Amino acid sequence: MRPQDVVTSPAPSAPAPAPGRVELEQAEAALVEHYQRLVRIAYLVLPPSLGRNRRVLTAHALAQRSLPRGRTGPANPGDAESAIPPSNHAQGDADPGYLYVRGRVLRQALDAGLPLKRLAWPKRAQLPPLLPHVWGLRVFPRSGGADELALDQRLSALSGPARAAYVLRGLEGLADADVRQVLTAAGVPDPHAALAEADGMGPGVPALLESPEFDPCSLQARPTDLMRRRQHAKAALVAAAALAVCGALLGLPGDGWGPDGAAAPPYARNPALEAALDPAHVTRVSDTAWQSSSRTDFSVWPARGALTGDRALLRRALAVWARPGSLVQVSATPGTPPGPPMGPPQLLYAGEVDQARVVLLHDGLRVIRYAEPLDGPGGVALDFARTDGADSASAGALVVGRTDSNVRYLTAPWVHQASARDLLDPASEPRPLKRDTDGLTTPLPSPAQARDCRTWDVLELHDGTAARVLTDLGELTPARLTFGTPAAPKDIASKAERAAWARTACLLPGVRTHGVRAVNLWPYAQQRLPESNGTAAWLCTRAETWRGTGSRVMAQFHAPGTPPSTPGAIAARAEDSPACGVGDPKVLAGVLWKSRAGSWYVLAAGSRQFTSLATSGGVDGSAEGQLLAVRAKEGARAELNGRLSDGSRVGALH
């Protein structure tokens, strides 16, 4: 954790103010001490429709404008905003100066979310801040993981008072009675309704609310349109003068998207790029092309969806792909270039999914998902996923949308039937999953967005020859789950294979949002435990990525007698290792194990290539073959190595 990420609780300051009053110096001291926390509160309560750059600057402006205007009393007795209010000690012994400044920040953040009214002066918080101001850069907090993204999306669906209630609960740790008191003081007309709406979000999670995703004081910066700014500096001065003269003659702009939607202005005219971004040139594959093609991947997916003929939507999607503007939230799997298409892309889908219009495009290397809200201009999402080298198994489905912890898939045209199954329950039967005529599934609980691991619903796709098992790991392309040796992994089919996966599924969050293409589970050894304690299983889990590098490997020890859905013990793990893969189909791992009688042992197992194993260091012992069990003491540490059939010595997975 970085020093600037440490959040301290408000502490009382001394000397105490006069009863019923908060001194200017006390409020200023509270603002300086808790500035990062106050700016975070403002950022979380401000409406997400402002965009991340303006939310950051507005949050700082609101915190800096939260001091009282007077020193020891109201500057104007009739001006409630300029008066220094009485201190509120109902929330424990918190610093009255901090309580006052926090109340001012909340009131201004809530005002910023109010709609502008005609024939009425806007409040100061509703206008873009004059200070602080950043020229030539866009600033925004550091990106978080899937949990932070899901929380941000859910917060955006709440009203301003409900967001404030959720933040006061989760970040400030206030009880509901204190939350109602703070909201009432901030001018919320119905605090009870705000709390009821926030209840739908569940309890606030301080670890998420305190993450860098919501820290406007720890920022990333990106340049604005450098080439445009450089080439047209003089023209900008002329344009500014023309706007000053003609501004009085211009009316208010109407609502709705422009021709290019949320795209940034074009840098220059390029005939090849313009052709690639022309909706008329988008490639459309026929509905039956996959039946006669020698390839069964995304290149033979037909164009589906009710909006495939909406050229305005396609133009916005293509323009945003080429030039994402400041309102666009861009994400890409590791190793996926987020640049514009090299030529006219292939249209896979265009239609309405839940509360968004969604477009899926494919350029041979990547799949791109564009999503815009149905209710007009607002936050736009642009997601990139690498898909080169896909086959019929890995091109069976794409994620079209995620809402309310659910996920919806678009299935391939060769899929005959779709079903769902809880991977943590090996005895469960598959549940039929309805699809519409385009192959779009009904919502399915997404394990990638779950906060615990009580269930793990996977997608089963039947194509007439096999049942593929896919799972959502927080990306556009679901990961395929397989079982077997590295040389011949196969689809999960038997109850025994599902039982092994039931003890492995809850370890999958370790490879979430990592660009994973497939995860294979390989049971490489069985070991009879000492003192007649039953038989344990040794398994190796390998996650392969679309980019080829960055694989992750885990060796597991499954002790007998544990519940079916209890995760196995991780004996060893490695990144960017060839172990348990086609290039190096071997593995060696060990654990310190306690028998039912209380005796301690070092247990180890290698794949069939090992002819002997040995330990040294804290525990000395050896054994012929691929298994080893040596008596040890509690807390003992030992080095493990093995000898292969060719005489070479290999260490344990690490």
Side-chain angles (χ1 to χ4, degrees), residues 37 44 88 193 198 207 223 231 262 367 401 413 418 424 436 443 478 494 524 588 619 628 630:
R37 189 183 191 90
L44 287 165
N88 178 3
Q231 293 178 349
V367 166
L424 299 187
D436 62 15
S494 68
Y524 67 88
L588 172 63
V619 179
L628 177 143
V630 180

Side-chain angles (χ1 to χ4, degrees), residues 11-30 33 87 89 93-98:
S13 57
R21 313 295 287 178
V22 175
E23 298 293 341
L24 175 62
E25 291 80 4
Q26 188 177 12
E28 183 179 12
E33 180 180 359
S87 61
H89 296 280
D93 296 329
D95 178 8
Y98 174 78

